[in-house]
Amino acid sequence: MTKNIGGIDRIVRIVLGLALLIGYAVNPDGAYSWLYLLGIIPLATAVIGWCPPYALLGFSTCSTKK
């Protein structure tokens, strides 16, 4: 697995994932609160540095080294 998530993309995914998980912690009994748990996905892809949809589409936000 080659990394396909760059620095800014990684930061955005971490912020989004943490925001969703914090939303779940604040309101765990809401009607659709389980949707906040989807924050695990962007957080996990940011930690790993690899995104499966990016790989399927041949897309990468990593800078290329020459």
Side-chain angles (χ1 to χ4, degrees), residues 2-65:
T2 16
K3 295 190 181 228
N4 60 6
I5 297 177
I8 294 174
D9 192 7
R10 184 174 282 191
I11 291 169
V12 169
R13 287 171 186 256
I14 289 171
V15 169
L16 178 66
L18 288 176
L20 286 170
L21 291 176
I22 289 169
Y24 179 77
V26 170
N27 187 17
D29 296 327
Y32 295 104
S33 62
W34 60 273
L35 288 173
Y36 288 122
L37 294 177
L38 292 176
I40 294 170
I41 296 169
L43 195 58
T45 57
V47 169
I48 296 169
W50 183 74
C51 179
Y54 279 13
L56 286 173
L57 298 173
F59 189 71
S60 177
T61 57
C62 283
S63 60
T64 56
K65 295 179 182 178

